[in-house]
Amino acid sequence: NERDELKKLNEATSKKLASSLADIYKEEFVMFNGHNLLIKVVNNLSRDILINIMDALKVIHKDYIIVLIASNKDQLPICVALGESAIKDGLKAGVIVSTIAKTLQGSGGGRPDIAFGSGKDNSKIDELYSKLYEYKKRNVADLFALYKPNTNKC
């Protein structure tokens, strides 16, 4: 039926867009505390497209911290993914998403390796982006004070 065909076409178009954007964003990873970090705030993308971008980016580096936020008019989807090393070092994707979402007057959570959320207050996105950019320039330890190194390491 026509509706199903349109849905399939929309999904295929979304995946192509996500793949193209991932090709651009892959150059923006920076190294912090041994982790490949990408924090990206983009405009007018759906949660599904963010997830597709995240999935495409996760295969680029073995160890990663990926934080994607879309600044939309009514909703601010948030996606975070962490590699094994980041998790071993004490980071938790669910905690990061929850913290970002609270800043944006929303909610979220998830597993240690992947989490999703949504903010509601678009007026806070510039403030959040400025904070994230400053943290990115310093140290993963500053990322909302969520980095707790494993005390078993020498």
Side-chain angles (χ1 to χ4, degrees):
N1 102 28
E2 186 178 336
R3 186 176 184 186
D4 290 339
E5 287 183 33
L6 286 173
K7 186 177 178 180
K8 286 179 185 177
L9 179 61
N10 185 41
E11 288 173 5
T13 304
S14 293
K15 287 185 179 186
K16 285 181 184 178
L17 173 62
S19 177
S20 295
L21 290 172
D23 280 342
I24 295 167
Y25 301 159
K26 71 182 179 184
E27 303 301 325
E28 298 181 32
F29 278 90
V30 292
M31 183 63 76
F32 283 97
N33 287 350
H35 307 292
N36 293 286
L37 173 67
L38 175 68
I39 299 172
K40 190 75 182 167
V41 178
V42 296
N43 290 320
N44 301 317
L45 292 180
S46 69
R47 178 181 183 264
D48 290 339
I49 293 174
L50 287 184
I51 292 169
N52 286 332
I53 293 170
M54 189 172 60
D55 287 342
L57 291 171
K58 289 187 326 187
V59 299
I60 294 171
H61 299 287
K62 183 177 180 182
D63 183 45
Y64 53 85
I65 300 168
I66 301 171
V67 178
L68 300 176
I69 304 166
S71 176
N72 300 326
K73 186 176 184 178
D74 299 331
Q75 189 179 19
L76 304 163
I78 305 160
C79 299
V80 174
L82 304 177
E84 287 181 33
S85 180
I87 295 166
K88 286 179 184 174
D89 282 348
L91 284 169
K92 293 183 175 136
V95 174
I96 295 171
V97 163
S98 177
T99 303
I100 293 170
K102 285 177 187 173
T103 302
L104 299 174
Q105 309 301 310
S107 63
R111 303 186 318 237
D113 64 326
I114 192 166
F116 307 99
S118 182
K120 297 178 184 176
D121 189 349
N122 202 9
S123 71
K124 303 273 187 191
I125 198 73
D126 288 335
E127 173 188 336
L128 177 69
Y129 187 72
S130 294
K131 285 181 185 177
L132 289 172
Y133 184 76
E134 285 303 311
Y135 293 138
K136 189 169 83 168
K137 286 186 353 189
R138 289 191 240 146
N139 190 309
V140 171
D142 292 328
L143 188 62
F144 295 107
L146 296 175
Y147 184 78
K148 295 176 182 144
N150 185 338
T151 56
N152 296 331
K153 287 188 176 180
C154 296

